Structure formats: structure tokens, C-alpha cells
Amino acid sequence: MAAPHRRSKRLDTAGALSIMQKNNRIVKSRSERGVALISVLCLLLTAGAMIGAAVALSQLNTFGIASAVEMQQSRYVAEGAAARIQFFLAADIASNGDRSLGETDYESEEYERLLADNVEHVIDYYGIPVRFRISDTVSGMELSNATAQNRMKNTEEASGDWETTVSEFFDKYGDYVDTDDNTSSSGMESGEYDAEDLHPLPRNAAMQYREEIWYIPGARRIFRPDRDGRLSTVRLIIDGVDSSAANPSVFTADKLLLRTWGSFTSDEADEVLKALKQWRMDRKLLSDQLDGEFISQLKQYFSWSESGIYTIDILSAAPEGRSSARLSCSILKPEVNPAEITNYLDFFFY
């Protein structure tokens, strides 16, 4: 009876080993399937992230292209609208002998008047609303005018060193435009410009464009760019036109011009600027906003009439909410039937 018992134990041991091996194979197979599943999931996750990035990049490029297309379209619209505005302006000049600025009651006019008073207008250009203003190009300060230089030097400033800063600038300005190499007390000639690596300055001749003023060291301490990056405080240089003796237009005056040329205090200048803004946006007469003393002072130092040179500023040339370029151009008095192509004195987008 002992032999069968031992055989049974051997058979049981072999069976157990077989079962264990089988279980190991099952566990290994399941483990391999788990690893494969994780790998596939990782691959899917990576592929999903790549597809998402591609979609996002595609949308970004689409938005960028759409914005560029809108901007380019607005440039064409602005240029076309500027040409149409010139015709409307010429028609207004030919039809209306009264060109009084700052006193026009627009609500009583049968047709929209176009004057160089910086009032905001809107025209429909093939279904696109175009906002624009017309101002007098003879605006800003004429730096070659000795009166302007003296008024700038004598402007009272809280810093206390204003007169010195302005005097030093005009010394440099004089050396920049004169034809000799003699250096004034605080001026600069070619040697000083070379030392500051500003060769081939100075010009040693009359300036050809007003932004050239910024080449002169110290100019930025006095003259600041406007919101469009332009040096609007200084008068535009127009070849063949001498406007050095003319007063600047009141409707484009900024704070520096009011403080220097107009002899207003800082607080008074702020009050005038507020009134000018109301005039531009809401056409509220300056005489209804400012005291008679202020009006008299403005009429004494600033021009309230048209010089015959006009600047058209296109403020928006796209549907509301769309990207839009801005355009500024200056022209001589336009004619209803021009004999030749318009001669632009100033033309640029920004």
C-alpha cells in the first residue's frame, strides 16, 4: 500500500508544478497585455496633443491672416475715402463763402459742413463707416521764429530748469541749421556729433522735415510725440511754403503749445484742452465752454481761420470691431475739377 501512496504524492507534485507554470504564463500574458495597453494609451495621448497643437496653430495663423487682410483692406478704404473727402471739401469751399471756424452751428446746417476745425465726421464709403477729421496744416510751433523761442524759454515750469533746457536746445538747433562750424555756448557741431557717434550730423542747412528735430540731443526732453508718434507740436515743413509768421491753428493746439505760445498756465491749458475735446467730439462751441478772457487770449495768439492747406486724418476705415489702419495726408486747397493729380504734402499710414 506504500507504493501507490508515494506515486500519488509524485503525481500531485508534478500537477502542482504544471499548474504553477500555467498560472505564470497567464500572469505574464496579462502583464504584457497591460504594458501594451499603456503604450497604446500613451501613443493616443501624444497623438491627441499633437493634433490639438496643430489645430491651435492653424487657428492662430487664421486669425493672424484675417487681421492682416482686414488691415490691408482698411488701408485701401482709407485711401479711397481720403480722395472722396477731398472732393467734398472742394465742393464745400466752392459753395460756402463763410469759412468761420469754431462758430459753426452744425445742427442748423442743411448739409454737413467740412471745415479745418478738427471736428469729427463720418461718411459711408461703400457700406463702411469712415471716421475722419480735417484740420489746418499750419499748426504747431515754427521753431525758426524768434518769438516762439523766447516764449518757450519764458514758460514757467515747476521743475525750475526749463529755461536752461530750452536755451541749450536752441543753441544746438541754431548750430544744426546754420552753415558754419562755429559752436555756440551750449551748441554742437560736427566734432561733438562725431564724439556721440552721430555722424554725419549736423545737417548745416535748413531742415527738410520736422521729425529731424529729434536728431538734436535734448529735443526729446521738450518735444513729446503725440498718440500717433508724430511731432505735432512743431509745424510741418512744406517745400515752397513759408508759414513762419503765421499763428498756429487753435484747433490742433496741445498743452505745450498752449503753455508756451499761448501763455496759459498749466491749469488753464488743461481747461482749454477739455473744451477743444468737447468741440471735436460733440461740436460744442468754445464760446459756450470758456470764459471771454480765455477766448480773447486764444484769438490773440492762435489762428481761427483757414490757411488754405488742409490735413485729413482718417481715424477709422473699417467696420466697428475690426482692425483698421489710420491715414494722415496734407494737401493744398482742393479744387472741384482738379487740373492735375493731387500733390500730397504729407501722406502716411500708421
Side-chain angles (χ1 to χ4, degrees):
M1 296 297 295
H5 180 70
R6 287 195 298 271
R7 183 180 179 185
S8 177
K9 290 177 67 175
R10 284 197 298 273
L11 289 174
D12 290 343
T13 302
L17 290 172
S18 176
I19 292 172
M20 290 177 63
Q21 292 174 352
K22 183 177 181 180
N23 289 339
N24 287 337
R25 286 196 297 272
I26 293 173
V27 171
K28 184 177 180 181
S29 176
R30 289 178 178 175
S31 177
E32 291 173 350
R33 287 200 297 271
V35 171
L37 178 61
I38 294 173
S39 300
V40 170
L41 291 175
C42 291
L43 181 61
L44 291 175
L45 181 62
T46 303
M50 293 178 64
I51 293 173
V55 171
L57 184 60
S58 176
Q59 291 178 340
L60 183 63
N61 288 334
T62 300
F63 292 148
I65 293 173
S67 179
V69 170
E70 290 177 358
M71 186 65 69
Q72 187 62 35
Q73 182 185 29
S74 73
R75 285 173 174 257
Y76 289 123
V77 172
E79 188 170 350
R84 180 178 294 183
I85 292 165
Q86 292 178 46
F87 176 80
F88 289 158
L89 175 60
D92 190 279
I93 294 172
S95 304
N96 298 282
D98 180 17
R99 306 294 295 174
S100 300
L101 304 182
E103 300 173 354
T104 301
D105 184 1
Y106 282 88
E107 293 183 358
S108 65
E109 297 287 340
E110 183 178 359
Y111 300 102
E112 180 79 353
R113 294 295 309 278
L114 295 182
L115 303 164
D117 54 7
N118 219 20
V119 165
E120 185 169 317
H121 304 270
V122 179
I123 63 168
D124 183 279
Y125 188 77
Y126 296 103
I128 298 176
V130 176
R131 296 189 301 113
F132 70 95
R133 292 177 184 150
I134 301 176
S135 59
D136 201 293
T137 307
V138 182
S139 300
M141 189 180 303
E142 175 56 61
L143 294 187
S144 63
N145 189 313
T147 301
Q149 297 182 18
N150 291 329
R151 288 181 181 176
M152 288 192 68
K153 294 175 184 178
N154 296 325
T155 300
E156 182 182 357
E157 290 290 328
S159 62
D161 62 350
W162 174 260
E163 183 177 357
T164 301
T165 301
V166 174
S167 297
E168 291 178 352
F169 165 76
F170 278 112
D171 283 346
K172 294 180 177 65
Y173 172 81
D175 286 344
Y176 189 93
V177 298
D178 64 20
T179 57
D180 59 53
D181 291 327
N182 300 322
T183 306
S184 56
S185 59
S186 299
M188 294 176 63
E189 287 291 352
S190 57
E192 287 78 16
Y193 280 97
D194 289 345
E196 296 193 20
D197 198 21
L198 293 174
H199 179 78
L201 301 178
R203 179 178 290 279
N204 282 334
M207 289 186 172
Q208 295 183 2
Y209 54 95
R210 66 180 176 186
E211 278 72 19
E212 199 172 341
I213 290 171
W214 275 326
Y215 291 160
I216 303 175
R220 293 181 183 272
R221 297 180 59 188
I222 304 172
F223 305 105
R224 304 295 177 87
D226 61 19
R227 57 167 295 180
D228 300 315
R230 304 172 66 192
L231 187 57
S232 54
T233 304
V234 179
R235 187 163 303 170
L236 186 71
I237 298 174
I238 304 173
D239 188 31
V241 176
D242 182 13
S243 61
S244 59
N247 284 334
S249 173
V250 65
F251 301 101
T252 53
D254 61 8
K255 187 168 184 177
L256 178 59
L257 198 62
L258 291 170
R259 297 278 285 111
T260 54
W261 187 261
S263 301
F264 285 94
T265 66
S266 181
D267 291 340
E268 290 172 344
D270 289 336
E271 188 172 347
V272 173
L273 289 175
K274 183 179 178 180
L276 288 172
K277 182 177 181 180
Q278 285 288 102
W279 165 253
R280 289 195 302 267
M281 304 301 296
D282 304 323
R283 307 179 183 186
K284 188 175 181 180
L285 299 180
L286 296 181
S287 57
D288 292 339
Q289 302 183 68
L290 299 172
D291 294 337
E293 183 179 349
F294 277 21
I295 296 296
S296 298
Q297 192 169 345
L298 287 172
K299 288 189 174 182
Q300 178 182 357
Y301 293 114
F302 294 91
S303 173
W304 290 63
S305 59
E306 296 178 339
S307 67
I309 310 175
Y310 299 86
T311 295
I312 300 171
D313 288 308
I314 305 295
L315 308 176
S316 175
E320 187 175 355
R322 300 289 184 86
S323 300
S324 175
R326 295 163 64 93
L327 168 66
S328 178
C329 59
S330 299
I331 56 173
L332 293 172
K333 181 180 178 180
E335 299 179 2
V336 176
N337 297 308
E340 57 184 20
I341 297 175
T342 300
N343 178 28
Y344 287 102
L345 310 175
D346 184 30
F347 190 103
F348 62 92
F349 289 102
Y350 51 93

